[in-house]
Amino acid sequence: MRMLQLRPLPFDLARARLPSSAPATPFGPFNSCVQKRWRKPLVTAQTRLEDRTRDHKLDKLATHLATLKTALGLLALMSARRRGPYVSLQLMSRWRGLVGLNVAVGAFVRKHSHVFEVFTHPLRRKLCCRIRRGMKELVKEEEGVVRRMELESLKRVKKLLMMSVNGRVHVHALRLIRRELGLPGDFRESILAKYSQDFRLVDLEIVELVERDEDLGVAEIEKWREKEYREKWLSEFETRFAFPINFPTGFKIEGGFRQKMKNWQRLPYVKPYERKEIVKVRTCGGVERFEKRAVAIIHELLSLTMEKMVEVERLAHFRKDFGMEVNVRELLLKHPGIFYISTKGSSQTVFLREAYSKGCLLEPNPIYAVRRKMLELLLLRRRNTKVLSVIEDDNLVHTVDEGHKREGDWVVPILESLEGHGVER
């Protein structure tokens, strides 16, 4: 049998048949000493976000707050309709994209039966939904608390304008964090236009501070530093420019990290309410001092909010007004002991770590208390609540489950039967 003899291909033809991913020079005995250089992995804001140490308590809180935000969005859309106190589920199904729901609207409202009530219309014979009385009362209570805290809201807006570079802030940026700041829905008329001696509207979309109030120029971090200086007897050199650091559980501290953090804590910077010239980036140590000033501004802005949290995307609208020409998300990820970014929900939310403990605010305020009641009512879902009902006959208080019998009701028929036979109770 004749054997076929394979001839070697020409060099150019063999090189053409190599895959595109193969190196131009194949490995062989004559180039075995050639070193191959590997690219260093890039460290970006996205990689830091994926590799960060998670705080499960704050992540769980962010999930609940995202659900509450969706529910309040539905409540606002339902309240805007004036045809009646109810809305058909067929119409509400069109609002799914407006409130950012990833499930059907009907399933969402049925799941939270303490906030929404689903019923069949007696005449039209179709499913409708309305807001329960308990949730309506909480919404009105929040509006009343916001109105009563009008002077506090005035101070918060003035402090925000004092932190800006030229005493101006875009009204659109304030509108984005209106709820976080505890401002009323009509804050443009009820605060900005009402207090014309403090604010001046420029081009209808920019609000300007008429005169600075130096008594308000004390940041919240300054109060913490004074407390640390007096109670812990630390030196002024250690506390003058320091921030409270609270790393999440499981945070890995690498070699040299403590010394870098210690040097950063001592680094001087221009404080948020100071009127000095902003440090230029190209000067000696300018980058670190410039970023530390941005950290102080974000820290103060979060301290002014009701729940010490805000969406990261909305912070970017204050970059130009506050002179923070930095990547906000990357700056927040560089300081995991001060800020925490949660990716739960449809957006990224930044929390002020020092303000929370085990998922609860350490220093609650009236607005936070009302919103916490809303959240607790929402988290009840389909569970029956235990309410206290007072029986006027004997002034006894019984624990009653809605839709169920009272504890001890099965004893009453037995006692009544024994009473007929002359047995004393």
Side-chain angles (χ1 to χ4, degrees):
M1 194 172 179
R2 197 175 205 179
M3 298 292 293
L4 294 176
Q5 186 177 0
L6 297 177
R7 296 181 179 180
L9 294 174
F11 177 74
D12 295 339
L13 186 58
R15 185 176 180 180
R17 292 191 178 185
L18 288 175
S20 59
S21 60
T25 305
F27 181 80
F30 301 103
N31 58 0
S32 59
C33 61
V34 177
Q35 294 182 358
K36 190 173 183 180
R37 176 173 291 182
W38 298 93
R39 285 188 177 181
K40 186 178 180 179
L42 296 176
V43 179
T44 61
Q46 185 62 30
T47 57
R48 287 196 185 98
L49 186 64
E50 295 172 355
D51 299 337
R52 77 190 189 283
T53 304
R54 306 298 177 91
D55 192 324
H56 299 289
K57 296 290 184 181
L58 293 181
D59 280 341
K60 187 176 181 181
L61 176 61
T63 303
H64 295 334
L65 291 177
T67 307
L68 178 60
K69 180 182 177 181
T70 303
L72 292 177
L74 287 175
L75 292 179
L77 292 173
M78 294 174 67
S79 302
R81 295 194 51 89
R82 301 179 180 179
R83 299 184 63 179
Y86 57 87
V87 182
S88 65
L89 286 182
Q90 183 179 3
L91 176 61
M92 293 181 66
S93 62
R94 304 175 186 175
W95 299 344
R96 180 179 173 182
L98 296 177
V99 297
L101 264 178
N102 54 2
V103 296
V105 177
F108 181 83
V109 297
R110 287 189 179 94
K111 185 177 182 180
H112 303 94
S113 56
H114 289 273
V115 178
F116 305 97
E117 181 183 0
V118 180
F119 64 97
T120 304
H121 197 277
L123 298 179
R124 301 180 181 179
R125 309 304 299 175
K126 62 180 180 180
L127 291 177
C128 298
C129 178
R130 59 190 169 197
I131 309 170
R132 289 196 178 272
R133 185 178 63 181
M135 193 63 181
K136 285 184 179 179
E137 294 176 354
L138 289 177
V139 172
K140 291 182 180 179
E141 184 179 355
E142 182 187 6
E143 293 176 356
V145 172
V146 169
R147 295 295 179 185
R148 289 194 298 269
M149 296 180 65
E150 183 176 306
L151 295 179
E152 298 293 331
S153 302
L154 173 65
K155 293 179 181 179
R156 285 192 291 271
V157 177
K158 291 178 69 175
K159 293 182 72 136
L160 280 177
L161 292 173
M162 288 174 62
M163 281 195 296
S164 62
V165 177
N166 51 6
R168 295 182 177 183
V169 170
H170 286 74
V171 180
H172 175 67
L174 288 177
R175 190 179 295 112
L176 288 177
I177 61 170
R178 176 195 63 81
R179 191 170 185 274
E180 286 79 0
L181 291 174
L183 300 178
D186 58 342
F187 73 95
R188 188 187 182 106
E189 293 78 19
S190 60
I191 293 181
L192 301 183
K194 181 179 180 181
Y195 297 94
S196 58
Q197 69 277 9
D198 297 317
F199 307 113
R200 183 189 302 116
L201 289 175
V202 182
D203 297 334
L204 299 178
E205 278 301 320
I206 298 177
V207 58
E208 183 181 13
L209 186 64
V210 175
E211 187 178 357
R212 289 175 58 89
D213 188 356
E214 298 300 334
D215 295 335
L216 299 177
V218 180
E220 292 296 325
I221 190 65
E222 298 294 334
K223 302 177 182 178
W224 174 84
R225 289 168 183 164
E226 184 178 358
K227 184 178 179 182
E228 290 286 301
Y229 177 75
R230 290 183 176 181
E231 294 183 358
K232 296 186 179 180
W233 293 80
L234 298 177
S235 64
E236 184 181 359
F237 179 68
E238 295 287 341
T239 59
R240 186 178 180 183
F241 302 105
F243 284 82
I245 304 297
N246 180 21
F247 292 109
T249 304
F251 182 80
K252 296 181 180 180
I253 299 178
E254 300 177 353
F257 179 80
R258 295 181 184 273
Q259 187 61 37
K260 291 181 181 179
M261 179 59 62
K262 192 173 183 180
N263 295 336
W264 186 85
Q265 290 279 59
R266 297 174 178 176
L267 184 68
Y269 69 98
V270 179
K271 297 180 181 179
Y273 296 109
E274 290 183 353
R275 299 294 294 174
K276 296 180 181 179
E277 185 180 357
I278 301 176
V279 180
K280 295 182 180 180
V281 178
R282 295 183 179 180
T283 59
C284 182
V287 176
E288 291 79 7
R289 294 169 63 187
F290 186 81
E291 289 184 352
K292 192 168 184 179
R293 179 183 179 275
V295 169
I297 290 177
I298 298 176
H299 184 282
E300 181 67 10
L301 193 150
L302 291 175
S303 301
L304 294 176
T305 59
M306 297 293 97
E307 299 171 279
K308 316 304 178 188
M309 48 159 284
V310 72
E311 294 183 9
V312 178
E313 295 180 358
R314 300 184 178 183
L315 281 177
H317 292 268
F318 291 91
R319 290 174 60 228
K320 188 174 181 180
D321 294 332
F322 289 166
M324 300 186 302
E325 298 299 330
V326 294
N327 188 333
V328 176
R329 188 177 65 165
E330 187 172 355
L331 181 68
L332 297 174
L333 291 171
K334 282 184 179 179
H335 302 277
I338 304 176
F339 310 108
Y340 178 74
I341 296 181
S342 176
T343 56
K344 299 296 181 179
S346 58
S347 60
Q348 298 177 5
T349 307
V350 56
F351 291 86
L352 189 61
R353 290 195 53 83
E354 65 189 76
Y356 280 88
S357 176
K358 297 181 180 179
C360 296
L361 200 63
L362 292 177
E363 297 180 1
N365 51 77
I367 297 179
Y368 169 81
V370 177
R371 293 175 182 174
R372 192 73 184 185
K373 293 178 184 178
M374 293 182 184
L375 184 60
E376 292 174 356
L377 189 65
L378 188 74
L379 294 179
L380 286 175
R381 297 185 179 178
R382 298 179 182 177
R383 291 191 291 268
N384 292 325
T385 56
K386 291 185 176 182
V387 296
L388 295 177
S389 63
V390 180
I391 301 178
E392 298 180 357
D393 296 339
D394 49 2
N395 293 327
L396 296 177
V397 179
H398 299 268
T399 302
V400 180
D401 287 343
E402 293 181 353
H404 295 80
K405 291 184 178 182
R406 280 199 311 265
E407 296 177 358
D409 281 355
W410 59 276
V411 184
V412 177
I414 300 177
L415 294 178
E416 290 177 350
S417 62
L418 293 177
E419 191 176 26
H421 293 285
V423 180
E424 294 182 358
R425 287 190 286 179

